[in-house]
Amino acid sequence: MLETLYQWFWWDKLWLPAELSWADLEDKDGRVYAKASHLYVTVPYAFSFLLVRYLFERWIATPLAVSGGIRHRVHLKVEHNPILENYYSTHSKNPLQADINGLSKKSSLPVRQIERWFRRRRRQDHPGVLKKFREASWRFVFYLSAFIGGIAALYDKEWLYDSRQVWTGYPKQSMLDSQYWYYILEMSFYGCLLCSIAFDVKRKDFKEQIIHHLATLVLLSFSWCANFIRMGTLVMLVHDASDILLESAKLFNYAKWEKTSHGLFVAFAIVFMVTRLIIFPFWLIHCTWVYPVHHYPAYFGYYFFNVMLVVLLFLHIFWAYLIFRMIRKFLFGTLTRDERSDNEEEEEQESSLTEDGDVQQHKPFNELSRDAASEKNGCFGLSPPENTCLSRLCHELGSV
């Protein structure tokens, strides 16, 4: 049974044009071709990336964050309450008012105290800025290194400038050392991201991130085995271009460099739209959809590869929608929270205001006046670096 499935899976008619077979991709005449067995090395490399990331975040990212004034914020643990903890763990982190009333009767605690307990409990689980800074710095370093490496590997290749050359001589296109390492390291990194996504800062697009990583790994693996390596390198290069600006904008936001972060975010939005919504569909997908049939009749691998590219395109459109919505809210002064993050940041601010309400009531009149003036000034007031608009924008810069 397994042997039959294995033979069916590697049936050359699924992966290659009808008149070709795996025998045509055997190393000979000085040509070296990609093999599926080469991909096994990405598994230990992915775990090696996890170790490198741990060392990087501990010995480089953390001191860098501290030097930028970012500290680890320790939330006080809430008083243990078995009834509330059980509800929090098994039912919901945000109970409805009717549930709160029921919990109040069951635990013999006032409603206000239960609301405060849930706010503090959610805040206790909320990751701090230092954790976000470490994650962003790790991704920034890799994306920057990968992009520079991609440029070094492709700058002198004719298919970078003329997409028709991607299919010249296909599939008898010898694999270069630069292509090998570009692929292996990128796939290992995405494998690392897939392994760590459950422990990283969780955002609203958690499911989309998993789909993105899986689609990327499937796309790269298939293109490797079917010798679509030239197109695969172009796809990776296009994706890395905007990710660099995204992660750098996040870093400067966390460090309160607001103007720099604004400029980088504008650059990121422009590059994202150009690379993901223009170059990717109208250059790369067009190249894989139109040109191959000039050389060979359409086959399963041709359709499968294009479907995976379209899946990535739909994810790009989804993220572009979030970016446009965030920009609109920011420009018109209605940006209040991360379109892609959980609501914890906003809840933390609201809970702080609620819990400090008694203090506000006892402030002198002149202090309350200054607070009201500061709130009225909003984004465009001459406020100090703790500008709330910038702190809100910080949470918009998720990974795409």
Side-chain angles (χ1 to χ4, degrees):
M1 180 65 178
L2 293 178
E3 182 66 22
T4 301
L5 290 176
Y6 178 84
Q7 292 178 357
W8 179 85
F9 181 81
W10 290 110
W11 186 32
D12 46 19
K13 303 307 178 187
L14 293 178
W15 298 79
L16 303 172
E19 57 268 37
L20 297 174
S21 66
W22 292 117
D24 296 305
L25 296 182
E26 293 180 355
D27 298 346
K28 56 184 176 181
D29 300 330
R31 296 179 182 272
V32 179
Y33 298 104
K35 304 291 189 301
S37 58
H38 294 163
L39 299 181
Y40 295 150
V41 74
T42 61
V43 176
Y45 278 18
F47 287 103
S48 298
F49 267 124
L50 289 175
L51 176 60
V52 173
R53 172 182 172 174
Y54 171 78
L55 296 176
F56 174 85
E57 291 184 356
R58 181 179 179 87
W59 299 108
I60 298 179
T62 299
L64 183 63
V66 172
S67 65
I70 300 174
R71 297 290 189 272
H72 178 59
R73 185 174 181 179
V74 180
H75 296 295
L76 296 178
K77 290 186 177 182
V78 297
E79 181 180 352
H80 181 68
N81 187 303
I83 298 176
L84 301 183
E85 185 66 34
N86 179 65
Y87 186 93
Y88 181 88
S89 303
T90 60
H91 291 78
S92 174
K93 298 180 180 180
N94 296 276
L96 300 176
Q97 189 61 45
D99 297 324
I100 292 178
N101 294 335
L103 291 171
S104 175
K105 295 178 181 179
K106 186 180 296 185
S107 62
S108 302
L109 295 175
V111 170
R112 183 175 178 82
Q113 185 174 345
I114 292 178
E115 292 174 343
R116 185 183 297 113
W117 188 94
F118 275 95
R119 281 196 301 268
R120 291 177 175 175
R121 184 65 178 84
R122 290 193 297 268
R123 187 166 48 181
Q124 180 178 312
D125 289 344
H126 179 60
V129 176
L130 179 60
K131 178 178 175 60
K132 297 178 181 180
F133 183 92
R134 290 195 299 240
E135 290 183 11
S137 61
W138 161 247
R139 289 193 294 265
F140 169 76
V141 169
F142 178 82
Y143 289 136
L144 179 61
S145 303
F147 184 74
I148 294 175
I151 292 294
L154 296 174
Y155 80 96
D156 59 344
K157 306 301 185 295
E158 60 273 11
W159 60 84
L160 178 63
Y161 311 99
D162 182 7
S163 58
R164 293 179 181 270
Q165 297 298 321
V166 168
W167 305 105
T168 300
Y170 176 81
K172 297 182 179 181
Q173 299 170 341
S174 183
M175 180 180 63
L176 305 176
D177 289 340
S178 58
Q179 293 173 326
Y180 172 85
W181 286 109
Y182 193 18
Y183 252 83
I184 294 300
L185 293 178
E186 282 273 0
M187 292 187 66
S188 301
F189 178 74
Y190 278 104
C192 171
L193 289 181
L194 198 59
C195 293
S196 63
I197 192 171
F199 309 100
D200 292 340
V201 176
K202 189 174 182 179
R203 300 181 182 275
K204 279 188 174 181
D205 64 342
F206 177 78
K207 295 180 180 178
E208 288 78 10
Q209 283 290 328
I210 294 179
I211 295 174
H212 174 269
H213 297 338
L214 288 175
T216 300
L217 288 172
V218 171
L219 181 68
L220 293 178
S221 299
F222 180 86
S223 63
W224 177 270
C225 296
N227 208 31
F228 291 170
I229 294 180
R230 292 184 178 181
M231 177 52 60
T233 56
L234 295 178
V235 171
M236 291 187 291
L237 188 67
V238 165
H239 280 71
D240 289 339
S242 60
D243 289 334
I244 300 170
L245 296 170
L246 171 63
E247 301 303 334
S248 59
K250 291 171 62 178
L251 291 175
F252 283 106
N253 253 311
Y254 297 145
K256 304 295 185 181
W257 290 40
E258 300 168 357
K259 292 184 178 179
T260 304
S261 178
H262 271 151
L264 287 171
F265 180 77
V266 171
F268 156 73
I270 295 173
V271 173
F272 182 91
M273 301 305 168
V274 171
T275 57
R276 307 289 185 94
L277 300 184
I278 298 178
I279 294 179
F280 185 73
F282 297 109
W283 180 36
L284 299 186
I285 294 183
H286 177 268
C287 175
T288 61
W289 194 271
V290 176
Y291 298 150
V293 294
H294 294 169
H295 301 272
Y296 299 99
Y299 57 103
F300 175 81
Y302 162 82
Y303 292 114
F304 180 80
F305 189 69
N306 281 286
V307 166
M308 297 307 299
L309 290 177
V310 171
V311 169
L312 289 181
L313 177 60
F314 280 131
L315 290 172
H316 297 166
I317 294 173
F318 167 75
W319 282 315
Y321 162 74
L322 295 183
I323 292 172
F324 274 125
R325 190 165 74 169
M326 184 278 296
I327 292 176
R328 178 178 61 83
K329 288 185 177 182
F330 180 73
L331 291 178
F332 292 97
T334 59
L335 178 63
T336 57
R337 61 179 176 85
D338 188 353
E339 298 296 340
R340 301 181 52 207
S341 300
D342 290 334
N343 297 337
E344 302 300 333
E345 294 89 351
E346 184 177 290
E347 290 176 352
E348 184 171 347
Q349 294 175 358
E350 291 176 353
S351 63
S352 297
L353 292 174
T354 303
E355 292 169 12
D356 292 341
D358 296 336
V359 179
Q360 292 284 349
Q361 293 177 2
H362 297 287
K363 276 189 176 183
F365 176 77
N366 59 343
E367 291 187 23
L368 291 174
S369 300
R370 287 197 298 270
D371 292 344
S374 299
E375 183 176 352
K376 183 177 180 180
N377 287 338
C379 295
F380 303 99
L382 299 177
S383 53
E386 296 80 25
N387 188 316
T388 57
C389 292
L390 258 296
S391 63
R392 290 166 180 171
L393 176 61
C394 170
H395 302 302
E396 290 291 339
L397 306 176
S399 176
V400 299

